[in-house]
Amino acid sequence: MLSTPRRIAALLLALAGVPGILSAADPRAGKTFLVISGHVLDPQGRPAAGATVHLIAHRKFGPKVGTTGPDGRFAFPGTDGGIYRLSAEKVGYGGARRPEPLRVRGSSPPGVELRLHPPATLTGRILGLPAKGLRDADLILDGGHVGATGKIAVEAGGRYRISDLPPGEWNVRVEAGNRTAAAEATLGEGEKKVLDIVFPQLVPVRGRVLGPGGKPIARAQILFPGPGYDQGNTEAGADGRFLAQAPQESHAAWARAPGFAPGSVPVDLAKGPVDGVEIHLQPSVTLTGRLLGLQPADCKLSLHAEGAAPLVPDGHADAPGHYALPGLGPGDWTVVATCGAQSTLRSLTIRPGEAAPTLDLDFGPGPLTLSGRLLGEPGARYEVRLERTFGPAAALGRSDVPSGGTFRFAGLQPGAYEIYVFEPDLPGDSLYRRPPLPEGEEIFDFGDSHESYESIYQQKVELPAKGEVTLDVRGARPPG
């Protein structure tokens, strides 16, 4: 906060309880003070004294926290112009949030009213974990916004209670060692809902991984695809034998090892433990080809193949302008490659007995153009990002666009794309835990800073084989 003479500080304090006041000036610094003020009400419309108010700003401004007085009023004097999010919370209520960002330009905005919600509650049980697993488990709540964290209590025996929630969509996740289970619920105002978090039943599966002639394959990776986080991952021993704890819903056992193509066998786990599973692997082939159209040619290459197997082989550049992708076998494959901001996707079928398949990957420009107009807040600036809907997230193009302005991305290949719209100065206040961003992007720090990497609008578009596609995209969330 700016340093002020005592008389100016006293004036600001006197005006702090008045919503919608105009700015006051510091005669020493010649700088304008802006005040964001308002009041917090309980669900019945009465002043909510002692509520915590969060003024969330872009990282360069920093977040602020205040407390309402006996009349429910709050004020943040000495505020810079910018875009803010505003929320409030108080024990025994569901948090309140201004639905739209608060845009402060030149003068103090009118007073803001925040009305707390009747508290919603989630209760339930954590099922499927042994006693020790329950003791070591962490319960994590995702959803809502800053100022709507809820009050979490976990009791002995795996029962939990999360109170003081506002209405909205919530995800409750339990992490216990390397196991995770989650469930989702949508809550209305003051609603009480029961939501059990169930870890899938695990079934012991014994077996071995064999190569040609029945020779054991040591250190093979084993996977039992399931419906959730548990996938029965394990590794075969030196004698090729393995013991996995597989989810009961899994219907196949997969294995892979260096020099061998992924292989699988069906399994039936509905009746309990299974013994004697044998997964036979065949020698793999290596896909090779040229890397065409890379700019620059020395960018860092990310390359993998997707097929029927849940195990994804990775490739590498083994010589300038060439790549190798080992670990493949007969079947249909899709090769995805990303190098810097360039991406490409190609498909091929490897026939049985084919020993040296080849496929060139062309990163060069395509024949298509995507253009459009951005409909946003007057005077706002945006970033429009275009991505292919495959492979590692990489922007194929970025464009800074003012509200009402146009964008254009040329040199595109046919296929499916996603348009994302960002407002760089818009603070984020979501409590969802997002995965780390791709290498080269700045990772969001949820502890001390609020900077939005979450798109405010996104749209899918399918580009045909030729021509130009023109569309309107929006730079603001629809009302409500």
Side-chain angles (χ1 to χ4, degrees):
M1 184 179 296
L2 296 172
S3 175
T4 65
R6 288 181 180 271
R7 63 181 181 277
I8 297 298
L11 173 63
L12 287 174
L13 288 174
L15 294 174
V18 183
I21 66 171
L22 298 179
S23 56
D26 179 351
R28 183 185 63 182
K31 183 164 183 176
T32 299
F33 284 93
L34 303 177
V35 180
I36 294 177
S37 60
H39 53 281
V40 180
L41 305 177
D42 69 12
Q44 288 73 41
R46 299 169 302 201
T52 300
V53 183
H54 302 267
L55 183 68
I56 304 162
H58 187 274
R59 179 174 298 175
K60 65 183 178 183
F61 302 131
K64 297 183 179 180
V65 178
T67 304
T68 59
D71 57 358
R73 295 184 180 271
F74 65 89
F76 294 98
T79 304
D80 295 312
I83 309 175
Y84 295 85
R85 293 194 186 275
L86 198 61
S87 63
E89 61 183 324
K90 184 177 179 180
V91 174
Y93 299 94
R97 179 197 193 205
R98 189 177 193 273
E100 295 299 324
L102 184 63
R103 300 173 186 273
V104 180
R105 299 188 181 102
S107 63
S108 300
V112 177
E113 179 182 292
L114 299 173
R115 185 175 292 232
L116 300 168
H117 296 279
T121 303
L122 274 175
T123 59
R125 299 168 296 169
I126 303 170
L127 303 175
L129 285 179
K132 183 180 184 305
L134 283 173
R135 288 194 299 269
D136 298 336
D138 292 322
L139 190 147
I140 300 165
L141 180 69
D142 286 335
H145 52 83
V146 173
T149 53
K151 184 178 179 182
I152 299 176
V154 180
E155 304 172 0
R159 291 191 174 274
Y160 76 89
R161 177 183 178 86
I162 307 174
S163 55
D164 290 2
L165 294 176
E169 297 180 357
W170 300 91
N171 178 285
V172 184
R173 190 170 74 253
V174 178
E175 297 181 354
N178 61 357
R179 301 191 66 193
T180 302
E184 298 179 348
T186 300
L187 295 175
E189 279 198 334
E191 184 176 7
K192 297 180 179 180
K193 185 170 286 189
V194 176
L195 182 70
D196 290 340
I197 317 300
V198 182
F199 283 81
Q201 181 178 348
L202 300 183
V203 178
V205 180
R206 297 179 182 273
R208 56 181 181 166
V209 183
L210 305 174
K215 183 178 179 180
I217 299 178
R219 309 304 175 196
Q221 181 185 359
I222 317 296
L223 184 67
F224 289 81
Y229 295 91
D230 291 311
Q231 300 289 309
N233 298 55
T234 191
E235 184 179 278
D239 59 357
R241 297 186 180 276
F242 66 85
L243 169 62
Q245 299 293 329
Q248 191 176 45
E249 296 84 354
S250 183
H251 300 291
W254 283 87
R256 75 166 175 179
F260 296 90
S264 68
V265 295
V267 292
D268 182 3
L269 308 182
K271 297 180 181 179
V274 175
D275 200 353
V277 173
E278 290 188 354
I279 307 174
H280 292 264
L281 302 184
Q282 299 299 320
S284 66
V285 297
T286 297
L287 177 67
T288 60
R290 296 176 297 170
L291 300 170
L292 306 175
L294 285 177
Q295 298 293 334
D298 61 348
C299 59
K300 185 175 181 180
L301 179 69
S302 172
L303 176 67
H304 71 270
E306 299 175 353
L311 304 159
V312 179
D314 296 315
H316 58 275
D318 59 349
H322 292 77
Y323 76 92
L325 205 165
L328 305 184
D332 296 327
W333 296 91
T334 298
V335 180
V336 180
T338 300
C339 212
Q342 295 178 279
S343 296
T344 187
L345 177 149
R346 294 288 305 278
S347 299
L348 80 157
T349 299
I350 299 177
R351 298 180 298 274
E354 189 174 0
T358 61
L359 180 70
D360 290 341
L361 301 179
D362 190 351
F363 292 83
L368 304 180
T369 298
L370 175 65
S371 61
R373 180 176 53 143
L374 195 147
L375 309 176
E377 293 284 340
R381 65 185 183 91
Y382 299 91
E383 179 187 283
V384 180
R385 181 182 301 184
L386 182 69
E387 294 184 4
R388 287 288 296 264
T389 57
F390 63 81
L396 299 180
R398 304 184 190 204
S399 180
D400 292 324
V401 184
S403 180
T406 60
F407 59 88
R408 181 181 177 88
F409 301 108
L412 304 177
Q413 300 285 350
Y417 292 80
E418 193 97 25
I419 296 173
Y420 296 90
V421 179
F422 300 84
E423 189 170 1
D425 293 332
L426 178 66
D429 66 345
S430 170
L431 293 182
Y432 281 106
R433 294 188 175 187
R434 303 176 186 87
L437 295 171
E439 186 172 349
E441 298 280 0
E442 186 178 2
I443 295 179
F444 191 97
D445 177 4
F446 288 91
D448 302 318
S449 57
H450 298 277
E451 187 165 4
S452 177
Y453 285 102
E454 180 182 9
S455 63
I456 59 174
Y457 180 84
Q458 62 189 70
Q459 179 174 334
K460 293 182 180 179
V461 58
E462 184 80 27
L463 295 188
K466 59 181 179 179
E468 180 170 337
V469 174
T470 303
L471 73 164
D472 289 342
V473 300
R474 299 190 178 276
R477 299 185 188 274

